[in-house]
Amino acid sequence: MKRESNKVLTTSVAKLLRRNATAQLQKIISRTHPADLAYTFSSLTPEQRQSFFRVIEHTDRERAAEVLSELEPGILVRFLEEVEDRKLVDILEVMPPDDTADTLDLVRDEERRDKIVAMMRTESQAETESLLAFDPESAGGLMSTDYFALEQNTTAQEALEQLQKEAGEAEVVFYLYVVSEHDTLVGVASLRELVRAERNRPLKEFMIPDVIRVRVDTDQEEVARLIARYNLVALPVVDDNNRLVGIVTVDDIIDVIRSEATEDMLLMAGAGQEDVSRYNSVLFSFRTRWPWLFPSFLGGILAMLVVFDYSHALREMIPLAAFIPVMIGMAGNIGTQSSAIVTRGLSLGKYDFVELGRVVLKELVVGTLLGVSYGVLVAAIAGTLFWQQDTYDSASPLIFAGTIAASLLAAMSVAATLGSVVPILFKKMNLDPATASGPLVITAIDVLGVWIFLAIAVLMLGL
Amino acid sequence: MKRESNKVLTTSVAKLLRRNATAQLQKIISRTHPADLAYTFSSLTPEQRQSFFRVIEHTDRERAAEVLSELEPGILVRFLEEVEDRKLVDILEVMPPDDTADTLDLVRDEERRDKIVAMMRTESQAETESLLAFDPESAGGLMSTDYFALEQNTTAQEALEQLQKEAGEAEVVFYLYVVSEHDTLVGVASLRELVRAERNRPLKEFMIPDVIRVRVDTDQEEVARLIARYNLVALPVVDDNNRLVGIVTVDDIIDVIRSEATEDMLLMAGAGQEDVSRYNSVLFSFRTRWPWLFPSFLGGILAMLVVFDYSHALREMIPLAAFIPVMIGMAGNIGTQSSAIVTRGLSLGKYDFVELGRVVLKELVVGTLLGVSYGVLVAAIAGTLFWQQDTYDSASPLIFAGTIAASLLAAMSVAATLGSVVPILFKKMNLDPATASGPLVITAIDVLGVWIFLAIAVLMLGL
């Protein structure tokens, strides 16, 4: 388990692979954590990966299974395509059943997947098939079937003996689940409580009877929320009849939290369901991203119509056109700030709904202050730049500068308010507020920014 | 521990508080999880919070301490301002020391904080003071001093007896840490391994000797990375002399991962260090957000100069101005998509550096495809809208439409490429790639979009 610096590790592995120095590779393999071995894969070429994995498998098949479970999905997908079926089956059979199912989920060719499952031993086959049936984003899809459960009349002494006998080391067990004679979940005890209990007391006397649990079809976000809120290390999963069927452990939940955060960020960036792995095809990325650009496109067309509508004013005063970008940019950016802050606050549960009005009011005030400050700045620049030029046609530079400042202020305070209101409305309508911080709202804000600018300009400059 | 639906719970608590139904409140308090009680606070008014907390404290002071530890920082800050010093000290003294330090970190008035620490019992005072000395974002700031450690010559039997005697239930213990006679960390055993070991074997014979550990000053991001990579439930913290001084548990790390994700999202949205809680003052928000808008402002001014530079072209062909927003919008959005995908991919460690060139190449290809598709669309709209109008002055509608399409294609493929290159460069320069997805790069892309558009227009239309 000695941890090498990852860079050193990767360099040595690559070098030893080139030299075919199997004995030295085996030495590294046996003293390196599977997670670190898996990390090395990301810096090897596909061919090196195959030969390194052959050495790992030859050294220790269980270790090979652990490394496979720790690989990045993107790397794993490609790796699986190149490995032989027979070899894969051998490795899948030494994995914990949930990892087997997760790995098989990544075999994209369904025919091949069925063929591989059919090649497995009957008992692992049945277990894998039942796990494959669950939605991968549900508790059933996340759970491990490798838990420790005993009947409620078992004594502490018997439980300890049972624990000592149990051979499987596959998953780390922290809680002892207690079930009735019909396998329904009736309680939980931590190993610590088990050790501390009087030896002849039955489990039902010292277990905690009211166990926080989820059903197989509970969404992974809810599972993550419960584990985070109640500081759990594992959460039991029950079926429709309240029978214990598995556990979800906190390490799986960390991955869920990270991927949900990624989802939020990509939603906010208007990249939708695009995966962050580079293993998607260009066509997939194109199809996924196209619709997310459409609101922005539509907004651009709307803004075009607005500008076109005011073309008589622009014709009279060309410099107005030069300020369109700054209006769009500042309105869009302050809107993004406000909606990101409110969205993230909502998703972390920072706000109490009673006081949401204050959140919006604060954004309005902050937006106005920022608008005043940047308005003064833009007025100074507009005034200075155009002071000597006769581009104003009809208006004095002072009025021109004042018009720009007033428009920027109006656009920014409206944008900040909208940016905070929309995620709240989305949340109230049970839509994902992260969508609201995305291109849809920002584009609406852009169009509004241009319109406010030109309307105020026409009004103030009498065009 | 029975979990009420949160809404039902909150409504009942509010109702019972209005009726002063203390007995019923106490019943609810004793059967509700502290995390759920804490959650209720977010929907109560500040006055209700005070009186509810009084009832909780009266029912069970330890429960009150747990509720306080579970409160949202934003709510806790305000709550702390209103609670009496003496009462706070009583509660702080029944908390685990790390929670005490975390709570005191939120007492913003330093004089008051010192006064409170001075009022504590001598032993908790020393412990709290030493914890307060660590950076809250380091392993020392996160750690709990409530771990279970034994000397390496202790036998399994003695260890089990020790565990049975230990009274403190404050923190859930999962690992047994093994130390030398000089208190240096030499190994770790899970409780499961302890239970399964032969009773007369000393710890040093069955412990895992190479323990993954961090130093007190290790940054919380690194702590989170280790816990996530090695699927740990707790990670030991050592001082400069390798002496065990505390543990960081996975539930604290979940909070870190969430807040680091928030930080990334706010960086990407250009909201910088703005906190998502609404408890910051307007002035604080103003000061934090002002600098983040500055690049956008500067970009707007630059774009203004670009547009102004082309005002002869605009004067000849006013409709060109109408397409400025769509150019900015589409370039900015595709740039945001590309940089968000690459940034998130980098921060999750999805890419191997060897293949980063492919990532950029893919963005360029996807950007070009999207540019072609939206280019055709905008050309069709431009052609249709202006077909009958004599706004073209010199150019034919076909050439005008072609110009718009070509500019959009150029702006979008350049934006996608830049959006993916910059986060990678930032990462290579050891800067946070999330900053690259923020306003700085997007603004540069906006300006570039306007410039590409006008330059191509002048060239193609011969203005």
Side-chain angles (χ1 to χ4, degrees):
Chain A
M1 244 231 272
K2 184 142 178 224
R3 279 162 311 126
E4 312 261 353
S5 144
N6 283 312
K7 217 172 163 180
V8 176
L9 178 66
T10 304
T11 324
S12 340
V13 167
K15 208 185 291 165
L16 294 171
L17 279 170
R18 271 195 301 277
R19 282 205 256 126
N20 268 321
T22 315
Q24 274 165 288
L25 279 170
Q26 288 186 324
K27 215 165 112 185
I28 288 185
I29 289 163
S30 57
R31 68 186 169 126
T32 307
H33 193 287
D36 291 322
L37 291 176
Y39 184 84
T40 335
F41 274 67
S42 63
S43 303
L44 296 177
T45 65
E47 296 70 36
Q48 286 178 318
R49 287 175 192 163
Q50 293 292 336
S51 45
F52 188 37
F53 194 75
R54 262 196 300 276
V55 183
I56 299 175
E57 212 210 340
H58 198 76
T59 315
D60 177 354
R61 185 169 289 165
E62 293 220 354
R63 174 64 56 104
E66 282 163 14
V67 171
L68 213 61
S69 306
E70 296 280 347
L71 283 183
E72 281 297 327
I75 291 178
L76 187 52
V77 164
R78 286 217 300 194
F79 186 80
L80 290 174
E81 281 166 11
E82 287 161 23
V83 80
E84 284 165 51
D85 290 357
R86 184 66 253 167
K87 200 176 185 182
L88 187 55
V89 170
D90 288 345
I91 297 164
L92 289 176
E93 294 207 315
V94 294
M95 270 188 191
D98 58 329
D99 285 351
T100 307
D102 291 348
T103 309
L104 280 168
D105 263 330
L106 291 176
V107 174
R108 293 199 176 160
D109 176 354
E110 281 193 37
E111 254 177 66
R112 186 181 174 211
R113 194 195 301 161
D114 293 343
K115 200 177 134 205
I116 291 170
V117 174
M119 283 168 77
M120 293 171 73
R121 279 196 314 270
T122 328
E123 70 269 41
S124 19
Q125 196 178 323
E127 195 154 25
T128 306
E129 271 174 342
S130 75
L131 284 175
L132 276 173
F134 297 116
D135 176 355
E137 302 207 341
S138 72
L142 285 173
M143 74 186 181
S144 152
T145 49
D146 218 349
Y147 52 86
F148 188 59
L150 289 171
E151 212 273 329
Q152 56 185 341
N153 292 310
T154 318
T155 63
Q157 178 63 32
E158 288 163 350
L160 281 171
E161 280 162 16
Q162 201 72 42
L163 191 57
Q164 275 174 288
K165 257 184 283 174
E166 291 256 326
E169 277 256 36
E171 294 270 319
V172 187
V173 172
F174 299 107
Y175 302 123
L176 159 63
Y177 295 101
V178 187
V179 291
S180 75
E181 58 223 13
H182 310 295
D183 277 342
T184 57
L185 179 64
V186 294
V188 66
S190 70
L191 286 197
R192 196 189 192 191
E193 284 156 348
L194 173 63
V195 167
R196 292 175 54 202
E198 276 170 51
R199 295 300 158 93
N200 57 355
R201 285 183 78 192
L203 298 178
K204 65 177 172 193
E205 283 183 18
F206 64 90
M207 69 186 189
I208 296 168
D210 244 318
V211 194
I212 297 168
R213 70 192 74 195
V214 287
R215 278 165 43 115
V216 280
D217 56 358
T218 305
D219 185 76
Q220 63 175 7
E221 252 193 293
E222 173 68 6
V223 177
R225 207 184 58 76
L226 289 173
I227 287 195
R229 169 175 288 183
Y230 300 110
N231 297 332
L232 301 171
V233 171
L235 186 60
V237 184
V238 295
D239 67 10
D240 290 352
N241 300 316
N242 204 15
R243 273 191 305 243
L244 182 62
V245 290
I247 56 168
V248 179
T249 52
V250 68
D251 52 302
D252 297 322
I253 280 317
I254 287 185
D255 298 338
V256 170
I257 291 175
R258 287 166 65 148
S259 74
E260 295 280 344
T262 302
E263 214 177 284
D264 273 10
M265 281 190 219
L266 294 186
L267 273 177
M268 277 165 63
Q273 303 306 312
E274 162 94 64
D275 201 304
V276 289
S277 98
R278 71 177 183 304
Y279 303 93
N280 296 319
S281 72
V282 165
L283 214 67
F284 174 86
S285 298
F286 174 78
R287 276 202 311 261
T288 318
R289 283 161 72 171
W290 200 94
W292 288 91
L293 287 170
F294 195 71
S296 166
F297 182 74
L298 217 63
I301 299 301
L302 273 178
M304 181 195 79
L305 294 176
V306 170
V307 176
F308 196 66
D309 197 38
Y310 283 94
S311 49
H312 63 282
L314 289 177
R315 203 177 292 275
E316 270 186 67
M317 203 175 279
I318 283 288
L320 280 182
F323 287 92
I324 291 177
V326 82
M327 295 295 155
I328 295 187
M330 295 303 278
N333 267 301
I334 199 170
T336 306
Q337 286 186 338
S338 299
S339 62
I341 290 166
V342 172
T343 298
R344 199 59 194 153
L346 287 171
S347 91
L348 293 178
K350 294 269 182 191
Y351 307 135
D352 26 14
F353 268 84
V354 191
E355 293 175 298
L356 280 178
R358 284 198 214 167
V359 174
V360 175
L361 187 66
K362 188 187 151 190
E363 288 303 313
L364 170 61
V365 175
V366 173
T368 306
L369 286 179
L370 288 166
V372 167
S373 121
Y374 276 107
V376 169
L377 215 56
V378 81
I381 291 169
T384 316
L385 266 180
F386 301 131
W387 193 258
Q388 300 294 340
Q389 310 204 19
D390 59 342
T391 31
Y392 292 96
D393 310 321
S394 52
S396 84
L398 218 63
I399 294 185
F400 183 77
T403 303
I404 303 288
S407 316
L408 193 65
L409 165 60
M412 285 177 72
S413 46
V414 169
T417 314
L418 265 186
S420 59
V421 166
V422 180
I424 293 174
L425 289 181
F426 271 49
K427 178 90 181 180
K428 293 228 175 197
M429 294 187 293
N430 274 323
L431 299 168
D432 188 341
T435 320
S437 318
L440 199 68
V441 177
I442 302 312
T443 300
I445 287 172
D446 283 354
V447 178
L448 215 62
V450 174
W451 180 76
I452 289 174
F453 166 50
L454 292 173
I456 292 182
V458 167
L459 210 72
M460 283 181 68
L461 300 170
L463 294 171
Chain B
M1 248 232 268
K2 182 139 179 225
R3 278 161 312 130
E4 310 261 355
S5 144
N6 283 312
K7 215 169 163 182
V8 176
L9 177 68
T10 305
T11 324
S12 345
V13 167
K15 208 185 289 166
L16 294 171
L17 280 171
R18 273 195 299 277
R19 283 205 256 126
N20 268 322
T22 313
Q24 274 166 286
L25 279 172
Q26 289 185 322
K27 216 166 108 187
I28 288 183
I29 289 161
S30 56
R31 66 183 170 127
T32 308
H33 192 287
D36 291 323
L37 292 175
Y39 185 83
T40 341
F41 274 68
S42 64
S43 303
L44 297 175
T45 66
E47 297 70 37
Q48 286 178 319
R49 286 175 192 165
Q50 294 292 336
S51 44
F52 188 37
F53 193 75
R54 264 195 300 275
V55 184
I56 299 174
E57 211 210 339
H58 198 76
T59 314
D60 177 354
R61 184 169 292 163
E62 294 219 357
R63 175 63 56 106
E66 283 164 13
V67 170
L68 213 60
S69 305
E70 296 279 349
L71 283 181
E72 280 295 328
I75 292 178
L76 186 52
V77 164
R78 286 217 300 196
F79 186 81
L80 290 174
E81 280 166 12
E82 287 162 23
V83 79
E84 283 166 51
D85 289 358
R86 186 64 253 166
K87 198 178 189 178
L88 186 54
V89 170
D90 289 344
I91 296 164
L92 289 176
E93 293 206 317
V94 293
M95 270 186 193
D98 57 328
D99 285 351
T100 309
D102 290 348
T103 309
L104 280 168
D105 264 332
L106 292 175
V107 174
R108 294 202 175 157
D109 177 355
E110 282 193 37
E111 257 179 64
R112 188 182 171 212
R113 193 194 304 163
D114 293 343
K115 202 178 132 202
I116 291 169
V117 174
M119 284 167 77
M120 292 171 74
R121 279 195 316 271
T122 328
E123 67 271 41
S124 21
Q125 197 177 322
E127 194 154 22
T128 306
E129 272 174 342
S130 74
L131 283 175
L132 276 173
F134 295 116
D135 176 355
E137 302 206 340
S138 70
L142 285 174
M143 73 185 183
S144 153
T145 49
D146 220 347
Y147 53 85
F148 187 59
L150 290 171
E151 212 270 331
Q152 56 185 341
N153 293 311
T154 319
T155 64
Q157 178 62 34
E158 287 163 351
L160 280 170
E161 281 163 15
Q162 202 72 39
L163 191 58
Q164 275 175 290
K165 259 186 280 175
E166 291 255 327
E169 276 257 37
E171 294 269 322
V172 187
V173 172
F174 299 106
Y175 301 124
L176 158 63
Y177 294 101
V178 186
V179 292
S180 74
E181 59 223 13
H182 311 295
D183 277 342
T184 56
L185 179 65
V186 292
V188 65
S190 72
L191 286 198
R192 196 189 192 193
E193 284 156 347
L194 173 64
V195 167
R196 293 175 53 202
E198 275 169 51
R199 294 300 156 92
N200 57 354
R201 285 183 82 190
L203 298 178
K204 64 177 171 194
E205 285 182 16
F206 64 89
M207 70 188 188
I208 295 169
D210 245 318
V211 194
I212 296 167
R213 68 193 72 193
V214 287
R215 279 164 44 116
V216 280
D217 56 358
T218 305
D219 185 76
Q220 63 176 7
E221 254 193 289
E222 172 67 7
V223 177
R225 206 183 58 76
L226 289 173
I227 286 194
R229 169 175 292 184
Y230 299 108
N231 297 332
L232 302 171
V233 171
L235 185 60
V237 184
V238 295
D239 67 10
D240 291 351
N241 300 315
N242 204 16
R243 273 191 306 244
L244 182 63
V245 291
I247 55 167
V248 179
T249 51
V250 67
D251 52 303
D252 297 321
I253 280 317
I254 287 186
D255 298 339
V256 169
I257 290 174
R258 287 165 65 145
S259 73
E260 296 279 345
T262 301
E263 216 176 281
D264 274 9
M265 282 192 218
L266 294 185
L267 273 177
M268 277 167 60
Q273 303 305 313
E274 163 96 65
D275 201 305
V276 289
S277 98
R278 70 176 185 303
Y279 303 94
N280 296 319
S281 72
V282 166
L283 214 66
F284 174 86
S285 297
F286 174 78
R287 276 202 313 261
T288 319
R289 284 164 66 172
W290 200 92
W292 287 91
L293 288 170
F294 195 71
S296 165
F297 181 74
L298 217 63
I301 299 301
L302 272 179
M304 181 195 80
L305 294 177
V306 170
V307 175
F308 195 65
D309 196 38
Y310 282 93
S311 48
H312 63 282
L314 289 177
R315 202 178 294 276
E316 271 186 65
M317 204 175 279
I318 283 289
L320 281 183
F323 288 92
I324 292 176
V326 82
M327 295 294 157
I328 295 186
M330 295 303 280
N333 267 301
I334 199 170
T336 307
Q337 286 185 339
S338 298
S339 63
I341 289 166
V342 173
T343 298
R344 198 61 193 152
L346 287 171
S347 92
L348 292 179
K350 294 265 182 193
Y351 307 135
D352 28 14
F353 268 85
V354 191
E355 295 176 297
L356 280 177
R358 283 197 216 168
V359 174
V360 175
L361 186 67
K362 185 185 154 189
E363 288 304 314
L364 169 61
V365 175
V366 174
T368 307
L369 285 180
L370 288 166
V372 169
S373 121
Y374 276 107
V376 170
L377 216 56
V378 81
I381 291 170
T384 315
L385 266 180
F386 300 132
W387 193 259
Q388 298 294 338
Q389 310 202 17
D390 61 342
T391 31
Y392 293 94
D393 309 321
S394 53
S396 86
L398 219 61
I399 294 185
F400 184 78
T403 304
I404 304 287
S407 315
L408 193 64
L409 165 59
M412 284 177 73
S413 46
V414 169
T417 314
L418 266 185
S420 59
V421 166
V422 180
I424 293 174
L425 290 181
F426 271 49
K427 179 87 181 184
K428 294 228 173 194
M429 293 186 295
N430 273 321
L431 298 167
D432 187 341
T435 320
S437 319
L440 199 67
V441 177
I442 303 311
T443 301
I445 286 173
D446 284 353
V447 178
L448 216 61
V450 173
W451 179 76
I452 289 175
F453 166 50
L454 292 173
I456 291 182
V458 166
L459 209 72
M460 285 183 65
L461 300 170
L463 296 170

